[in-house]
Amino acid sequence: MGFGWGFGKVILFGEHFVIYGVPSIVSAIDKVTTATVESTGGSGWTLDDRRQATPGYKEEKLEQQRGSINLILKAAGIDPTTNPIKITFGGDLVAASGIGASAASCTALARALSDEFKLGFSDDRINELAYEGEKGYHGTPSGIDNTAATYGGLIWFVRGEPNVIERLKIKRPIEVVMGNTGLVANTKAAVAGVRERKERYPGKYEKIFNEAKELAYMARKALLDYDLQAVGKLMDENHRQLQAIEVSCKELDQLVELARANGAYGAKMTGGGLGGNMVALTPGKDLQDQVARAIKREGFEVLMTRIG
Ligand code: MEV
């Protein structure tokens, strides 16, 4: 039996903008999706998806997931009609929007295939396969999610030819709280919406994109200087930029407000938006507990984790 895993992630700065080459900052989180691959009889592949998930998530993504698995098998050079397999997903990452669930499962599957068929893929090759798989979900992914899912850590990512992938070393990990709106989001639609508006309002969007680029460099410096007040303020500002390109929603804005009102240094939507997750910077266990409690009290699921 082949085994593999992929990390969940949280984008701290620059989702959506990253697709157009704006630098972005992502951190893997300490939750993983696992995959096993077993050779079976019959023909083709079967899937047993045992991941915990936001209600509706798996059903909503089923079609995209099937396409994604086929893309990964093709890229790995495995034909399931002659090599029938059973794929099982598990792990402690709750499958939800905005937390890198699709990328974590793509990475996990690529690793499990490499293990089962003794392909000896390097991390770079695993990342390429996971990127192929991400196309099944996003259409035109930037590659940021699969990069975090594959390599882990805190990463400065710039999409390009080739991508810039730089590990950022900070003094010590920082506590964050993620709050789940419970809404399953369609990243493909969110990305398409930005593209359409960007074409319709080029002046307005160019200005916001330039500001997002400047902000990414400031955020990088603030993280490396370990100036957490500044990091929080920049997250707030990034959230405003994401609101301006219309990828936030009222539930995300509510979670952001709730986190800030309860002492978070800063908060923003994270990932594709239009539902999914919010991330709040809550250095120290006490502040993290306080913010998490306040969000839970309002009936939302929370995840307490660390970045860096
Ligand atoms: C999704 O986690 C992040 C987006 O920027 C899409 C992408 O980068 O592929 C919205």
Side-chain angles (χ1 to χ4, degrees):
M1 182 194 288
F3 176 79
W5 76 95
F7 297 107
K9 67 97 204 343
V10 54
I11 298 182
L12 297 171
F13 294 97
E15 48 274 271
H16 285 285
F17 301 104
V18 64
I19 295 172
Y20 301 88
V22 172
S24 54
I25 300 177
V26 63
S27 179
I29 61 172
D30 59 355
K31 297 278 179 274
V32 294
T33 291
T34 58
T36 59
V37 167
E38 294 164 77
S39 296
T40 53
S43 169
W45 57 264
T46 56
L47 174 65
D48 182 6
D49 190 346
R50 299 189 189 161
R51 293 174 300 168
Q52 268 191 64
T54 294
Y57 178 89
K58 287 192 205 172
E59 296 74 9
E60 184 82 18
K61 303 281 171 185
L62 196 57
E63 205 52 40
Q64 296 181 352
Q65 184 183 41
R66 296 189 68 80
S68 165
I69 290 172
N70 286 330
L71 287 169
I72 295 173
L73 286 167
K74 185 155 182 258
I78 294 161
D79 179 356
T81 52
T82 47
N83 283 302
I85 52 170
K86 177 182 173 194
I87 301 163
T88 306
F89 286 131
D92 59 359
L93 178 71
V94 176
S97 299
I99 200 161
S102 62
S105 68
C106 291
T107 300
L109 176 58
R111 287 196 194 283
L113 289 169
S114 175
D115 191 23
E116 174 66 8
F117 293 101
K118 313 270 176 291
L119 301 170
F121 289 154
S122 65
D123 273 0
D124 291 352
R125 184 75 188 120
I126 294 292
N127 194 30
E128 281 169 13
L129 292 186
Y131 179 70
E132 285 305 306
E134 277 282 89
K135 289 181 185 168
Y137 289 94
H138 291 205
T140 54
S142 65
I144 186 172
D145 290 8
N146 48 279
T147 297
T150 302
Y151 301 105
L154 182 65
I155 296 171
W156 171 262
F157 179 90
V158 193
R159 186 183 194 190
E161 293 283 341
N163 295 330
V164 174
I165 299 171
E166 188 189 335
R167 176 66 57 89
L168 298 180
K169 291 234 177 320
I170 57 173
K171 212 163 28 176
R172 79 186 93 78
I174 314 165
E175 288 75 12
V176 297
V177 174
M178 297 180 74
N180 187 352
T181 60
L183 301 174
V184 177
N186 183 342
T187 305
K188 208 170 186 166
V191 169
V194 173
R195 185 172 301 275
E196 194 190 296
R197 290 186 292 277
K198 195 170 179 296
E199 277 163 19
R200 196 156 2 124
Y201 311 110
K204 175 182 169 194
Y205 272 65
E206 198 188 326
K207 183 167 176 289
I208 305 169
F209 272 61
N210 285 337
E211 286 164 5
K213 185 172 178 183
E214 236 174 79
L215 185 130
Y217 284 96
M218 290 193 274
R220 177 192 167 108
K221 182 172 183 324
L223 277 165
L224 294 176
D225 291 348
Y226 214 73
D227 181 349
L228 302 187
Q229 298 284 358
V231 174
K233 286 209 179 69
L234 291 165
M235 286 169 71
D236 288 345
E237 184 54 35
N238 198 206
H239 184 69
R240 277 190 283 276
Q241 293 166 345
L242 290 159
Q243 285 175 317
I245 62 168
E246 297 180 40
V247 289
S248 190
C249 63
K250 73 173 190 323
E251 292 82 358
L252 281 166
D253 293 345
Q254 182 193 349
L255 282 172
V256 161
E257 288 307 326
L258 204 56
R260 289 179 190 154
N262 283 278
Y265 284 28
K268 62 182 276 289
M269 56 156 275
T270 184
L274 303 180
N277 270 273
M278 174 273 333
V279 58
L281 193 73
T282 55
K285 200 79 203 78
D286 291 348
L287 181 57
Q288 188 184 36
D289 281 343
Q290 182 176 312
V291 171
R293 261 199 313 272
I295 293 174
K296 269 194 223 154
R297 226 181 286 130
E298 296 298 317
F300 296 100
E301 299 275 333
V302 298
L303 171 65
M304 293 194 269
T305 184
R306 298 194 303 174
I307 55 153

